[in-house]
Amino acid sequence: MDGRLAYWFGMADYDFETAKAMLVTKRYIYVGFMCHQTIEKALKAMIARDCADGEMPPKTHNLIKLSICAKLADLMNDEQQNFLTELNPLNIEARYPEYKERIAQTLDHATCQNLMQRTGELLCWIKAQL
């Protein structure tokens, strides 16, 4: 694995471990956010694979757009594509407090465990596409 892929996948793995820690501490909104970040960085790894030296993946958080740029959208099954749509709104880093509150109300322990499982599965699938 070249340095660019190692960087992005390393960040994806780090974010997934952070999501696990947030689940343990019951910080559910951040579980969702870190699951989003995990997949975002894994998709950016796949994009970086095809970028020219020094070129960076697009500066977007939209997982659908990133999956297209990564040339994975057509390879994903419906469940994987639907999961990207489900994860997209969980990118709450710069959102307004009322938006965060609405998202937080949809997340509980069981929902976050499910997000974690599906994120782990999709992360493994993306890595397997190398």
Side-chain angles (χ1 to χ4, degrees), residues 6-122:
Y7 167 78
W8 287 105
F9 277 127
M11 294 298 294
D13 291 337
Y14 183 89
D15 288 347
F16 193 57
E17 290 301 314
T18 301
K20 291 177 187 177
M22 294 296 97
L23 183 63
V24 169
T25 60
K26 299 179 181 178
R27 295 176 184 213
Y28 301 129
I29 196 164
Y30 292 103
V31 172
F33 176 64
M34 296 314 297
C35 286
H36 179 284
Q37 291 294 294
T38 298
I39 299 305
E40 178 180 327
K41 290 172 184 161
L43 291 170
K44 287 184 177 185
M46 297 300 284
I47 295 167
R49 170 190 63 176
D50 298 328
C51 286
D53 284 341
E55 189 178 327
M56 296 293 285
K59 292 184 179 185
T60 182
H61 303 293
N62 185 311
L63 301 178
I64 306 301
K65 287 181 181 179
L66 290 171
S67 72
I68 293 166
C69 290
K71 300 176 184 157
L72 294 177
D74 290 339
L75 301 175
M76 290 180 167
N77 62 36
D78 289 345
E79 184 179 328
Q80 291 167 323
Q81 290 178 1
N82 290 338
F83 186 53
L84 295 182
T85 301
E86 186 179 332
L87 280 179
N88 250 347
L90 299 179
N91 180 40
I92 49 87
E93 186 174 30
R95 305 285 186 194
Y96 293 103
E98 54 275 359
Y99 179 83
K100 283 185 181 181
E101 184 59 35
R102 273 198 317 264
I103 294 293
Q105 290 174 1
T106 68
L107 300 172
D108 58 20
H109 195 80
T111 301
C112 287
Q113 281 183 314
N114 182 270
L115 282 175
M116 292 287 303
Q117 177 184 344
R118 293 164 65 204
T119 298
E121 290 169 358
L122 186 54

